[in-house]
Amino acid sequence: QVTLRESGPALVKPTQTLTLTCTFSGFSLSTSGMCVSWVRQPPGKALEWLALIDWDDDKYYSTSLKTRLTISKDTSKNQVVLTMTNMDPVDTATYYCARTTTVYAFDIWGQGTMVTVSS
Amino acid sequence: QSVLTQPPSASGTPGQRVTISCSGSSSNIGSNYVYWYQQLPGTAPKLLIYRNNQRPSGVPDRFSGSKSGTSASLAISGLRSEDEADYYCAAWDDSLSGFWVFGGGTKLTVL
C-alpha cells in the first residue's frame, strides 16, 4: 500500500523559511519512473504545482516560484523535503505531496498539511 | 490565474450527463496527456482520469475523458449526489525546462 504523509510547521512568520517533509512508504524513489511532487492549495482556491523530484534526482520547479524553492530527497529514509524561502501571507495554503509517475501523474496524495503565514 | 482554463462552475440533476472543459495551449494539452482529479470537500485530490481517457481501477465508468487539439473534457454520466466536488485538469507543459500546470478547478453542483 502506497502512503505519503506531510509534516512541518503549522505556523511560520513572514520572511521565514518553510521546510516541509514528505515521508512515504510502499514505493522507492530510486525506481525508474517514480517521482514525488509538491502541490499547494490556498483556502478556497485552486491547486498549484510547486516542484517535482524524480528517481534520477532531476528537479523541476514552478516557473513563478523557482527562485524560492528547493526540493531534495533522502532515498534511504523515503523522504522528500521542500524548502520555500521568504514566506509571505499569500503562501498560506494546504501543502500536499503526491507520488508522481510517468503514467499516472499524481496518483497517490498525502492528506496535506495546512501552513499559515502570519506574524 | 491558471494556465489551463476551466469553467468555475457546472451543475446537473441526478441521472444527467455533464461535461467539464479544460482549455490549454500547444505546449501543454496540445502535446501532452491530460489528467483529471476529483476533490471532495476537505479531502485531498483523487486521480480520476489519466492519459486523456484512461480510468484507474476503482473509478466508475460513468467518468470519461477526451482530448482534441489543445482542449480536453471530462464527462460524468448518470450524475449522482456524491459526484458533487471540485474537478481539476492537469497537464505537463513543455515550455522552458518543463513544469506541471493545473486548471483553475470546476465546482460541480448536483441539484
Side-chain angles (χ1 to χ4, degrees):
Chain A
Q1 181 190 5
V2 173
T3 64
L4 302 97
R5 185 183 77 251
E6 307 86 352
S7 59
L11 179 66
V12 297
K13 290 179 168 36
T15 76
Q16 285 187 336
T17 294
L18 171 69
T19 299
L20 295 173
T21 300
C22 176
T23 303
F24 57 87
S25 63
F27 69 98
S28 172
L29 202 39
S30 58
T31 300
S32 178
M34 288 295 171
C35 317
V36 171
S37 291
W38 286 93
V39 177
R40 72 177 179 179
Q41 185 173 38
K45 296 190 177 181
L47 301 171
E48 179 184 17
W49 176 78
L50 300 176
L52 176 151
I53 189 164
D54 72 12
W55 71 97
D56 209 22
D57 208 34
D58 290 322
K59 300 157 188 173
Y60 301 85
Y61 295 101
S62 160
T63 54
S64 60
L65 292 168
K66 70 179 303 179
T67 61
R68 298 172 54 204
L69 296 173
T70 303
I71 191 169
S72 62
K73 66 182 172 76
D74 186 331
T75 305
S76 64
K77 292 184 178 178
N78 281 353
Q79 290 183 332
V80 170
V81 174
L82 180 76
T83 63
M84 180 180 291
T85 62
N86 195 23
M87 293 293 285
D88 184 273
V90 300
D91 297 313
T92 294
T94 296
Y95 287 75
Y96 296 98
C97 63
R99 187 178 76 166
T100 311
T101 72
T102 52
V103 175
Y104 300 103
F106 316 101
D107 64 341
I108 308 293
W109 297 64
Q111 64 185 18
T113 186
M114 178 67 192
V115 177
T116 300
V117 184
S118 174
S119 54
Chain B
Q1 194 164 353
S2 302
V3 173
L4 304 181
T5 301
Q6 297 180 236
S9 63
S11 63
T13 57
Q16 269 192 329
R17 182 177 187 271
V18 297
T19 61
I20 297 171
S21 62
C22 175
S23 178
S25 68
S26 58
S27 62
N28 42 65
I29 293 179
S31 51
N32 293 293
Y33 294 115
V34 177
Y35 301 81
W36 289 92
Y37 296 86
Q38 177 193 60
Q39 187 176 33
L40 297 170
T43 68
K46 168 192 168 186
L47 176 64
L48 211 55
I49 297 288
Y50 68 97
R51 290 194 166 183
N52 301 335
N53 54 21
Q54 302 300 302
R55 280 186 311 277
S57 60
V59 173
D61 60 6
R62 302 186 297 105
F63 295 90
S64 61
S66 63
K67 175 184 136 176
S68 178
T70 59
S71 293
S73 291
L74 172 71
I76 308 171
S77 60
L79 198 61
R80 305 174 68 160
S81 58
E82 57 260 40
D83 298 333
E84 188 161 292
D86 294 324
Y87 292 84
Y88 294 91
C89 57
W92 179 257
D93 194 300
D94 291 327
S95 301
L96 304 172
S97 56
F99 51 93
W100 281 97
V101 290
F102 281 97
T106 299
K107 169 67 177 176
L108 175 64
T109 301
V110 180
L111 302 169

